[in-house]
């Protein structure tokens, strides 16, 4: 399948739910499929304005535009852009297809001379064990069409993890030269950072645990720089700020003893990856940032999206078990308790285990560096997805 093959294109539909998480994942996947597999990809997005925050060149008012070999299309309901089904249709994260698209698929299914595309629902990433048994299962729709549920995951029985083929070598080259991170900080308008200072990137939801950590960090014997983009995490630090969150500007820094808060501009995905590569610890949220923090090969805290009945803590526990499989028990306890404390808003507990983190920093860093190789299980999501389509 190539970009020039008739009706062999793929359509990916994404409804932007949490500003950047869903679109972050689908944009990376679309770009990788186009670049590494020369596939013709149409990415349909319902909120181009939010999308433009991670793709600054994007014009939110333009219904059709192309970047990195991907044709980006405005998704209105019903579609007001002509739709011609190709080889594959992907619903990202259980978004519902537009009615007129679904009607076209049914027409193809009922026509003797046409074959409808392979219909996939790309699910959220989870380390839960039940994912192995549910991945790639078909679901017969009332129309007679089949929809397959495609689950990303951490085992060979799942759909794998998004990771570009050159990512590891790019990261290693970046981290081998400390001047790279200093040049990035200058580009982002950050000042006063020295090579030996501790750097912590923060892209979390609101939590009192964050304020508790700032209380601790300001008395650290080592200078600490907390790098925060304009967004939700800052709502937890209102008393640490000289003005309202709305009045903060990129490049601004706020000093509290040995802690400096730096306000970051929004960046594209490439610079966000480089930021994660450049920090000593990364606090991230959602799915896209969560996975990119793992590929950064640095210690991390995952602030998982809260769900009803605390189901998100079950998902957190499942990931921690997978991530800590080869870690010594004492390191596992410290890292797991720190992540749990951050997610249950336990200020005392998060401070206790942050202080214990220093005692296991070297083995935890070594584990973080080895983890990407173990996690990929010899195949990334895009390659498994392409193979699944070929086999179907």
């Amino acid at each position: 399948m190539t970009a020039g093959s008739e009706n062999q294109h793929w359509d990916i539909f994404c409804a932007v739910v949490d500003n950047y998480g869903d679109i972050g994942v689908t944009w990376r996947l679309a770009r990788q499929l186009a670049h590494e597999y020369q596939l013709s990809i149409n990415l349909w997005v319902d909120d181009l304005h939010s999308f433009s925050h991670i793709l600054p060149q994007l014009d939110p008012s333009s219904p059709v535009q192309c970047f990195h070999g991907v044709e980006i299309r405005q998704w209105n309901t019903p579609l007001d852009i002509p739709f011609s089904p190709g080889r594959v249709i992907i619903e990202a994260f259980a978004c519902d297809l537009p009615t007129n698209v679904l009607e076209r698929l049914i027409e193809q299914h009922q026509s003797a001379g046409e074959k409808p595309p392979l219909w996939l629902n790309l699910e959220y990433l989870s380390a839960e064990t039940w994912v192995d048994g549910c991945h790639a299962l078909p679901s017969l729709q009332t129309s007679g069409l089949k929809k397959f549920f495609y689950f990303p995951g951490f085992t060979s029985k799942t759909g794998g993890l998004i990771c570009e083929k050159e990512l590891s070598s790019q990261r290693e080259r970046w981290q081998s030269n400390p001047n790279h991170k200093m040049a990035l900080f200058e580009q982002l308008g950050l000042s006063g950072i020295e090579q030996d200072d501790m750097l912590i990137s923060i892209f979390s939801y609101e939590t009192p645990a964050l304020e508790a950590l700032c209380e601790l960090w300001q008395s650290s014997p080592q200078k600490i720089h907390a790098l925060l983009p304009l967004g939700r995490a800052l709502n937890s630090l209102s008393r640490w700020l000289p003005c309202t969150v709305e009045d903060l500007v990129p490049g601004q820094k706020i000093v509290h003893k040995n802690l400096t808060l730096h306000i970051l501009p929004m960046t594209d995905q490439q610079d966000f990856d480089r930021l994660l590569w450049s920090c000593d610890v990364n606090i991230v949220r959602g799915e896209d940032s969560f996975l990119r923090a793992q590929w950064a090969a640095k210690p991390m805290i995952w602030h998982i999206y809260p769900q009803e009945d605390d189901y998100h803590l079950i998902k957190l526990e499942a990931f921690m078990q997978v991530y800590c499989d080869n870690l010594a028990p004492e390191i596992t306890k410290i890292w797991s308790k720190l992540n749990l404390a951050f997610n249950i808003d336990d200020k005392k507990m998060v401070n206790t285990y942050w202080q214990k983190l220093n005692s296991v920093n070297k083995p935890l860093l070594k584990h973080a560096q080895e983890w990407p190789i173990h996690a990929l299980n010899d195949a990334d999501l895009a390659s498994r997805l392409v193979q699944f389509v070929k086999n179907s």
Side-chain angles (χ1 to χ4, degrees), residues 3-286:
S5 302
E6 184 179 1
N7 292 329
Q8 292 299 298
H9 68 270
W10 292 24
D11 290 287
I12 304 175
F13 286 83
C14 175
V16 180
V17 177
D18 186 30
N19 289 331
Y20 317 114
D22 294 359
I23 185 57
V25 171
T26 49
W27 174 229
R28 288 191 195 274
L29 177 61
R31 203 168 60 222
Q32 185 182 1
L33 290 170
H35 175 68
E36 295 182 7
Y37 297 93
Q38 293 76 54
L39 293 169
S40 177
I41 305 293
N42 295 331
L43 177 58
W44 300 83
V45 182
D46 68 343
D47 182 359
L48 295 182
H49 177 73
S50 290
F51 190 2
S52 68
H53 289 146
I54 61 172
L55 181 61
Q57 309 97 306
L58 190 70
D59 178 4
S61 65
S62 178
V64 181
Q65 48 203 305
C66 187
F67 295 97
H68 301 282
V70 177
E71 190 159 287
I72 298 168
R73 301 186 172 199
Q74 173 70 56
W75 170 8
N76 295 319
T77 302
L79 292 185
D80 49 16
I81 301 175
F83 179 79
S84 176
R87 177 71 180 89
V88 177
I89 282 188
I90 298 176
E91 296 174 331
F93 313 117
C95 66
D96 293 323
L97 292 178
T99 302
N100 51 336
V101 171
L102 191 55
E103 290 172 348
R104 182 71 184 98
L105 300 188
I106 294 172
E107 287 176 7
Q108 287 186 317
H109 175 66
Q110 294 173 345
S111 171
E114 292 188 288
K115 181 181 179 182
L118 183 65
W119 184 6
L120 304 173
N121 181 8
L122 178 65
E123 291 284 350
Y124 288 99
L125 171 62
S126 177
E128 294 170 278
T129 55
W130 60 262
V131 168
D132 286 11
C134 295
H135 171 60
L137 290 181
S139 173
L140 186 62
Q141 307 297 295
T142 56
S143 61
L145 290 166
K146 282 184 180 180
K147 176 163 64 172
F148 292 85
F149 288 85
Y150 199 92
F151 283 87
F154 294 89
T155 75
S156 59
K157 295 180 180 179
T158 68
L161 304 165
I162 294 180
C163 185
E164 301 83 359
K165 285 182 169 54
E166 299 299 320
L167 185 65
S168 178
S169 59
Q170 291 171 355
R171 187 203 72 231
E172 289 171 359
R173 286 195 299 270
W174 179 272
Q175 293 178 337
S176 67
N177 186 347
N179 292 329
H180 287 153
K181 70 178 183 182
M182 301 308 291
L184 175 64
F185 297 151
E186 183 178 355
Q187 174 191 324
L188 295 175
L190 310 184
S191 61
I193 299 176
E194 302 294 335
Q195 287 279 11
D196 294 331
D197 294 347
M198 186 173 192
L199 302 166
I200 303 169
S201 76
I202 301 171
F203 185 58
S204 71
Y205 304 109
E206 297 88 346
T207 171
L210 193 55
E211 183 176 15
L213 285 175
C214 286
E215 289 276 7
L216 187 65
W217 293 341
Q218 69 173 345
S219 301
S220 168
Q222 180 184 18
K223 286 188 176 180
I224 293 180
H225 298 267
L227 315 182
L228 301 101
L230 289 168
R232 295 180 61 172
L234 286 164
N235 295 329
S236 299
L237 300 176
S238 56
R239 77 176 187 88
W240 294 75
L241 306 176
C243 57
T244 65
V245 173
E246 292 75 20
D247 290 332
L248 292 170
V249 295
Q252 189 171 350
K253 64 179 182 179
I254 302 104
V255 180
H256 294 275
K257 299 180 183 179
N258 260 10
L259 168 65
T260 302
L261 306 176
H262 294 265
I263 309 304
L264 300 177
M266 284 298 301
T267 66
D268 60 16
Q269 288 184 320
Q270 183 180 49
D271 277 345
F272 181 71
D273 286 347
R274 291 170 174 172
L275 177 70
L276 298 178
W277 299 347
S278 302
C279 290
D280 299 293
V281 178
N282 295 303
I283 302 175
V284 293
R285 74 186 201 205

Side-chain angles (χ1 to χ4, degrees), residues 198 200 209 212-213 216-217 281 283 299-301 320 328-361 364:
M198 186 173 192
I200 303 169
L213 285 175
L216 187 65
W217 293 341
V281 178
I283 302 175
M300 57 172 281
I301 295 174
M320 292 193 300
E330 64 272 17
I331 304 173
T332 294
K333 179 180 178 181
I334 292 171
W335 183 81
S336 298
K337 291 288 188 181
L338 177 60
N339 274 267
L340 178 61
F342 202 92
N343 280 278
I344 62 175
D345 301 336
D346 190 322
K347 298 170 71 170
K348 182 178 179 180
M349 184 177 168
V350 79
N351 277 1
T352 297
Y353 285 99
W354 177 271
Q355 292 177 84
K356 292 183 177 183
L357 200 64
N358 287 333
S359 65
V360 298
N361 185 58
L364 185 58

